[in-house]
Amino acid sequence: MNVYVPPSGGVEIRKEPSQFQTSVYGRSGFKISLTDNDLRPSQYLTVYPYFALPEAYLNGQLTSYGGYIKYTVKSDGSGSSLSIPDIILTGNGYTLVYKGPPINPKVENNIAIRFFPGNWYRVQPDSRIDYPATRQDLMMTLQQVDHLLIRTHYFSDDLETTITDILMDSAAIRNYGQGQAAYVEQCDCPLGYSGYSCEKCDKGFMHQPSDQWLGSCVAPEHCPSMYYRDPRDNQCLPCSCPHTDKFGLSCGIDSDMNITCACPPGYEGRRCEKCSLGYIGNPLRGQPCERRPVVECDPAGSKSTQIDPRTGTCSCKEYATGRTCNQCKPNKFNLASGNQFGCISCFCMGIETTCTSSDLYRTQVVAAFTRDNQDFKLAEANRLSEPITDIQVNPAAQEIYFQQFNPKTYYWVLPSKFLFNKVTSYGGYLKYTLRYIPVPGGYSYNNAPDVEIVSDSGVRLYYHSKGVQPEPNRPFTVEVPLLEQYWSRVDGAAVNRGQLLMGLAELSNILIKATYTTNTQEAALMSVSLDIATDDRNTG
C-alpha cells in the first residue's frame, strides 16, 4: 500500500495498491523488490510502500495495549536513511505513527515497538507538528483499527527488503504462560456499557454519537408487553412465541437478527415451541405445556428413564438410590450418566468410607520433543533394568526415535514426572502419539499390551486397545481412559477401582508399547500427556 508523506507534514494512505513487486518469504514473512516500478522519479521523495497487516490485526485490538508488535527487517539498500514512520496505526479518525532509530543495512534487525505512551505520535493532515500520543489516543485508535502498516523502504537506494516473524501481543482470559497483561484495563462499566474499557454498548442499548470519545450508550424506550424492538429500524414489532398463540413471557432480537422468546416453566425452544422434559402439549397447535403426571427416572442413576410398569418405581443402577434414582448410596459419590454403576464407590485406600467429589481442576503433565529426549528410555518387556538410553531426537519432526531393534517387544519408559503419586489421574486419560516402521519383507502383529503400569506396591495392570492395529509409518494417537473397566490384571482378571487407585498412588513405571510387529525397523514417539488434577482454576 502506498503512503504519501508530504513535506508539509502528516501522512496520507493511498487506496491504490503499491506498484512494487512483493512475494511471500518463508512461513511468516514477505519480500518486496524496490526496483522496476512505475512510479515517476519525483514521487520517490514523497510516496513510499508500506506492508498492510491482514484482517486478524485490525478491528478491536484494545487488549494489545501495553504489549508489543515485533518483527525482523533486513534491507539490502544503501545511501542515506529515510526519515519516515516505521509504523502507521489508524482507527476511529486517529492517525498515530512510530519513528524508531535507523536500522543497519544488509543485516537482520529485530524491531519491538510497544503500544504505550511515549513511543507514538499523533499526526494531523497538513501539519508539521507531531504531538505525543496520549493513553487516550492509543486506546481510541486500538478500539477500532483500520490500518496497521509496516514500513518497507529504509534507504534512498533500496533494492530489496524482507520482513519476517511478525507478532503482535494480545491478551486472553486463559493463562498461556506469557505473563500477565497488566496494562490492559478491566473497567467496572456503568449500566449499558460492556467491554474491557467500556468500549461497547451492552445488549438492549443503542449507540448514540457525541463529542465525547466513542459516544454514549442509551436505552431505547420500552416496547409494550409482548413486543420487541428491531434494531434495524428501531420499530416495536409483535412477538411470535411460537405463532399468534403467545406462550412466551417476552421476546427480543438476538445476535443473528432472529427472535428469541423468554419461555415460562414447561416451555423451551427459541420460540417456546416445544414442551420441556416432564411436560406434555403442543404449542405449535395452540396446546399449552402441562406437567406430565408420571415420574421421570433420572437417566444418570437409572437403568431406564421410564418407570417399571410392573412395580411403578424406577430401576436404579447398583450405586444409585432415591425415588427417581437421583442420589448416590452412602459411601458413594459423583452421580453421572456415563458411569455403569451410576456413582463411584469411595476407596480412600481402605482407611475411610466417606468421600465426595473433589474441587480440583484438570490439567496435564506433558512431554514434547523439540530439543532433547526428555529422559525417555526404551526397554525390552520384562527387562526394565537394562534400558536403552541411546535415543535420537528429530527436532524438525518433534519426535524421538530408535532404529536398532532385536525381534523383541519394546516399550517406551516414561520419565519421573509421570510417576509417583498420580491418584488425581483417575478418570482422566493417558494420551500419546507415535509411529513405527516394520522390517521390509513381511511381518505379523504382536499381542502385547499397549500400556502397562507398575507400582511400588506390586500392582501390575495392562491396557489392550480394542480397535484395529495401527497402520505402519503413519502417526497415530491413542487415548487410554484411566478407569478400571478398561484395564486387566496380569492373570487376565478384571480390575476393580481399588486396584487401579493403588497402582496410581505409587507409580514406579508407565510403559507405552513402541514395537507393534515381530520385527521392527524404526519406532518413534511424538508426544505424551497424562491428565492430573490441581486446585489451580487457570488450567483451562
Side-chain angles (χ1 to χ4, degrees), residues 86-315:
D86 291 271
I87 296 282
I88 300 175
L89 176 69
T90 70
N92 273 328
Y94 289 72
T95 299
L96 306 184
V97 299
Y98 171 86
K99 293 183 180 179
I103 67 169
N104 295 314
K106 305 185 187 308
V107 297
E108 291 187 342
N109 297 262
N110 295 320
I111 309 298
I113 302 168
R114 193 178 189 187
F115 294 107
F116 203 72
N119 299 322
W120 296 81
Y121 288 85
R122 182 178 178 184
V123 299
Q124 301 285 355
D126 302 324
S127 174
R128 293 181 177 272
I129 302 176
D130 294 345
Y131 297 94
T134 64
R135 181 174 183 271
Q136 291 84 350
D137 294 336
L138 266 170
M139 296 189 70
M140 284 292 292
T141 310
L142 290 172
Q143 191 272 335
Q144 187 62 39
V145 177
D146 299 324
H147 294 99
L148 183 51
L149 309 180
I150 297 179
R151 169 186 183 179
T152 64
H153 200 168
Y154 286 87
F155 298 96
S156 58
D157 297 321
D158 262 346
L159 297 176
E160 188 174 78
T161 301
T162 56
I163 296 180
T164 58
D165 303 324
I166 302 173
L167 294 173
M168 189 166 84
D169 289 344
S170 187
I173 296 175
R174 183 176 177 182
N175 185 355
Y176 289 92
Q178 299 182 34
Q180 184 178 6
Y183 286 95
V184 177
E185 65 182 11
Q186 184 163 356
C187 301
D188 186 7
C189 299
L191 181 66
Y193 296 81
S194 63
Y196 286 102
S197 296
C198 306
E199 73 276 11
K200 298 182 289 187
C201 289
D202 216 342
K203 185 177 180 180
F205 287 77
M206 299 187 303
H207 177 256
Q208 186 176 76
S210 67
D211 294 335
Q212 182 180 8
W213 306 119
L214 293 177
S216 304
C217 296
V218 297
E221 295 180 3
H222 290 291
C223 291
S225 177
M226 291 307 296
Y227 281 75
Y228 72 97
R229 185 176 299 279
D230 190 333
R232 290 168 292 194
D233 55 13
N234 210 28
Q235 298 297 312
C236 291
L237 302 176
C239 295
S240 297
C241 303
H243 295 309
T244 55
D245 300 302
K246 299 179 176 65
F247 294 106
L249 301 174
S250 63
C251 75
I253 196 162
D254 220 327
S255 57
D256 61 357
M257 304 306 292
N258 288 316
I259 296 173
T260 298
C261 299
C263 303
Y267 295 80
E268 62 181 33
R270 190 157 187 173
R271 298 288 187 92
C272 307
E273 73 275 10
K274 298 184 293 184
C275 293
S276 302
L277 185 66
Y279 289 78
I280 55 174
N282 192 338
L284 292 174
R285 295 184 178 180
Q287 301 171 4
C289 295
E290 298 176 344
R291 185 175 292 278
R292 186 186 298 273
V294 296
V295 174
E296 289 285 345
C297 302
D298 192 318
S302 61
K303 298 177 182 177
S304 171
T305 57
Q306 303 298 320
I307 61 172
D308 189 331
R310 297 169 299 174
T311 63
T313 60
C314 296
S315 179

Side-chain angles (χ1 to χ4, degrees), residues 378-388 408-413 447-449 451-454 460-462 490 509-513 515:
L378 269 171
E380 288 184 27
N382 302 321
R383 296 185 66 179
L384 301 182
S385 60
E386 302 175 25
I388 298 171
K408 303 286 185 178
T409 302
Y410 288 77
Y411 284 83
W412 295 107
V413 183
N447 60 358
V451 179
E452 185 174 341
I453 60 176
V454 184
R460 195 180 195 98
L461 305 177
Y462 295 156
V490 176
N509 274 301
I510 299 179
L511 310 177
I512 296 176
K513 186 162 69 173
T515 56

Side-chain angles (χ1 to χ4, degrees), residues 347-351 416 418-426 453-461 482 497-510 530 532:
F347 177 58
C348 304
M349 298 301 165
I351 299 172
S416 60
F418 290 91
L419 307 179
F420 308 117
N421 185 357
K422 291 295 184 290
V423 167
T424 61
S425 295
Y426 181 85
I453 60 176
V454 184
S455 77
D456 290 334
S457 58
V459 176
R460 195 180 195 98
L461 305 177
L482 296 172
R497 172 172 151 79
Q499 291 167 336
L500 181 55
L501 284 173
M502 288 283 290
L504 294 173
E506 297 177 318
L507 278 172
S508 58
N509 274 301
I510 299 179
L530 175 65
I532 59 172

Side-chain angles (χ1 to χ4, degrees), residues 385-456:
S385 60
E386 302 175 25
I388 298 171
T389 58
D390 185 22
I391 299 172
Q392 303 299 310
V393 181
N394 184 347
Q398 296 189 6
E399 64 179 21
I400 56 175
Y401 66 95
F402 187 75
Q403 296 178 324
Q404 301 174 10
F405 290 102
N406 294 321
K408 303 286 185 178
T409 302
Y410 288 77
Y411 284 83
W412 295 107
V413 183
L414 272 60
S416 60
K417 67 179 180 179
F418 290 91
L419 307 179
F420 308 117
N421 185 357
K422 291 295 184 290
V423 167
T424 61
S425 295
Y426 181 85
Y429 288 88
L430 170 66
K431 301 178 184 179
Y432 55 89
T433 300
L434 47 74
R435 65 174 180 84
Y436 70 95
I437 303 175
V439 173
Y443 58 89
S444 60
Y445 290 98
N446 61 53
N447 60 358
D450 292 76
V451 179
E452 185 174 341
I453 60 176
V454 184
S455 77
D456 290 334

